Amino acid sequence: MKLNLIVHILVVFVLITSCTKETVPISKEIVHAKPKISKTVPLFDGKYAYESVAKQVSFGPRVPNTPFHLKCKDYLIAELSLYADSVFVQSFEDYIEGEKVQLFNIIARFKGDNPSKVLLLGAHWDSRPLADEDPNPKKAAKSFDAANDGGSGVGVLLSMAKSFKTEKPPVNVDIVLFDGEDLGLHGSLEYFCRGSKYYTQRLTPLNRPSHVIILDLVGDKEAQFIIERNSNRSAPSLIRSIWSVGAEVGNGTFVNQIGTDIYDDHIPFMEMGIPSVDIIDAELVGNRAFNPRRRYWHTSDDTMENISETTLSAVGKTVLTFIYQHYPNL
Ligand SMILES: [Zn+2]
């Protein structure tokens, strides 16, 4: 018994000393760990996002070389100027099948706490010239409201600009509204994404973004954001982080599933080696949606009827939470 007791005491002593020895380096490591940056996420004004989609639609189709396009440009510059540290326009001429078009990329810069990282948030603001997927030939020969295909991404970004004004972002942010995304002809990629191609061809070390997030078709009342396949290859850590935040605050719209490849404004950046993500309701593209109401891509039915403030807010809150609480630590 005595011997047993002595053995017990020895065992306990050895355990205590070995535990003590182990805890020293662990606690040292904790003291020296880099603190995680997690800023307060500013509010996202969903009503303003919705109203700004409606405002864009109210000008008429924002087709290049039309007065509606110019009016909308002035509106977007005026709105962004209320919130950004600087706003400027990259104006350029382009040729589509020999026809000259005047295009404008609108750029808004926001200074963040840490200027060594630049996050570019983009959406296209132009409307497609023709509703060429419309089954009605008369309607297919005209342009359309493009509330979701163009209007929605811009609406979310305008409202995010407002949020950046209330709470400085943790990194530098560039909001870029690309022109000429939807000038492409059926069956060819050549004339799509004119604004983002122009922008990336003129990147310098001073304005080269660290990462890119594009928003497109982000306003449908039953939106589903499945992971776009190119984005998953290009920026897997951003994808994991955005979709896990989306599962928390995205109101059921972010689906943790990998879908198809989409050619969108993120591709020119990916081709420059910049990790890029496209948040897009991909089921709409090609009009293969299970729900017949959702088969309105590039048709005259792309109207405000389909747009929901709840979806715009789900996307805005997800991207804002990602930026303020996760992006600086990636
Ligand atoms: Zn389109």
Side-chain angles (χ1 to χ4, degrees):
M1 280 295 282
K2 248 191 170 178
L3 191 65
N4 270 352
L5 186 65
I6 289 167
V7 169
H8 261 113
I9 290 167
L10 274 174
V11 167
V12 169
F13 178 75
V14 168
L15 278 174
I16 289 171
T17 48
S18 62
C19 285
T20 316
K21 269 181 192 162
E22 272 184 20
T23 52
V24 173
I26 291 170
S27 63
K28 257 189 183 169
E29 229 174 295
I30 290 165
V31 170
H32 292 290
K34 216 171 142 191
K36 290 229 170 204
I37 296 167
S38 181
K39 291 191 77 174
T40 306
V41 184
L43 286 178
F44 179 83
D45 186 345
K47 188 167 175 275
Y48 172 59
Y50 183 88
E51 283 167 357
S52 67
V53 182
K55 182 76 180 174
Q56 293 169 70
V57 169
S58 76
F59 292 118
R62 285 79 65 209
V63 176
N65 290 354
T66 67
F68 314 127
H69 186 244
L70 296 176
K71 271 188 197 161
C72 187
K73 169 178 70 81
D74 294 342
Y75 160 73
L76 297 173
I77 294 168
E79 290 299 292
L80 286 170
S81 301
L82 296 173
Y83 313 120
D85 293 309
S86 57
V87 177
F88 54 100
V89 177
Q90 194 176 45
S91 159
F92 61 103
E93 285 173 359
D94 204 347
Y95 288 85
I96 307 296
E97 296 285 282
E99 193 201 331
K100 189 164 102 178
V101 282
Q102 184 64 50
L103 301 177
F104 309 92
N105 287 332
I106 302 164
I107 300 146
R109 296 235 145 100
F110 299 83
K111 288 193 198 102
D113 301 330
N114 177 3
S116 67
K117 245 175 162 180
V118 181
L119 179 63
L120 187 150
L121 304 173
H124 76 93
W125 71 276
D126 61 307
S127 310
R128 187 162 178 75
L130 300 173
D132 49 355
E133 292 279 331
D134 203 299
N136 178 332
K138 270 192 186 164
K139 289 179 176 172
K142 288 194 284 188
S143 190
F144 55 104
D145 288 353
N148 203 8
D149 195 358
S152 65
V154 172
V156 171
L157 291 185
L158 288 188
S159 194
M160 285 181 68
K162 193 178 173 190
S163 306
F164 295 146
K165 174 90 176 173
T166 57
E167 179 77 38
K168 194 178 181 182
V171 296
N172 282 359
V173 175
D174 288 347
I175 286 183
V176 186
L177 307 181
F178 295 110
D179 203 354
E181 188 273 343
D182 234 340
L183 290 171
L185 311 172
H186 201 94
S188 160
L189 295 176
E190 192 184 351
Y191 296 120
F192 282 102
C193 302
R194 304 308 294 176
S196 51
K197 280 175 189 159
Y198 186 88
Y199 188 86
T200 51
Q201 282 158 10
R202 278 148 194 85
L203 280 177
T204 67
L206 284 176
N207 67 357
R208 184 181 165 97
S210 320
H211 298 90
V212 171
I213 300 174
I214 301 292
L215 307 180
D216 200 358
L217 300 165
V218 289
D220 188 87
K221 51 191 170 193
E222 292 165 286
Q224 292 281 279
F225 304 111
I226 288 166
I227 299 166
E228 192 270 333
R229 193 172 283 268
N230 292 312
S231 309
N232 194 49
R233 275 193 289 263
S234 168
S237 59
L238 265 77
I239 288 281
R240 269 197 302 277
S241 184
I242 295 167
W243 261 257
S244 71
V245 171
E248 303 267 315
V249 301
N251 201 41
T253 57
F254 282 77
V255 181
N256 200 3
Q257 221 177 73
I258 298 170
T260 52
D261 290 328
I262 306 266
Y263 192 88
D264 206 346
D265 284 322
H266 63 315
I267 300 290
F269 290 95
M270 279 177 54
E271 288 172 348
M272 301 288 290
I274 299 167
S276 305
V277 170
D278 191 22
I279 299 177
I280 183 164
D281 190 354
E283 196 198 37
L284 298 182
V285 178
N287 293 321
R288 295 165 286 108
F290 179 73
N291 177 351
R293 181 199 55 81
R294 281 171 43 82
R295 295 180 203 143
Y296 59 79
W297 177 73
H298 292 181
T299 78
S300 59
D301 290 330
D302 183 358
T303 61
M304 285 306 290
E305 295 278 289
N306 302 303
I307 303 295
S308 123
E309 186 183 317
T310 310
T311 301
L312 299 170
S313 293
V315 175
K317 279 181 195 165
T318 297
V319 180
L320 280 181
T321 308
F322 165 74
I323 294 171
Y324 283 80
Q325 302 206 320
H326 301 272
Y327 181 61
N329 305 309
L330 288 181

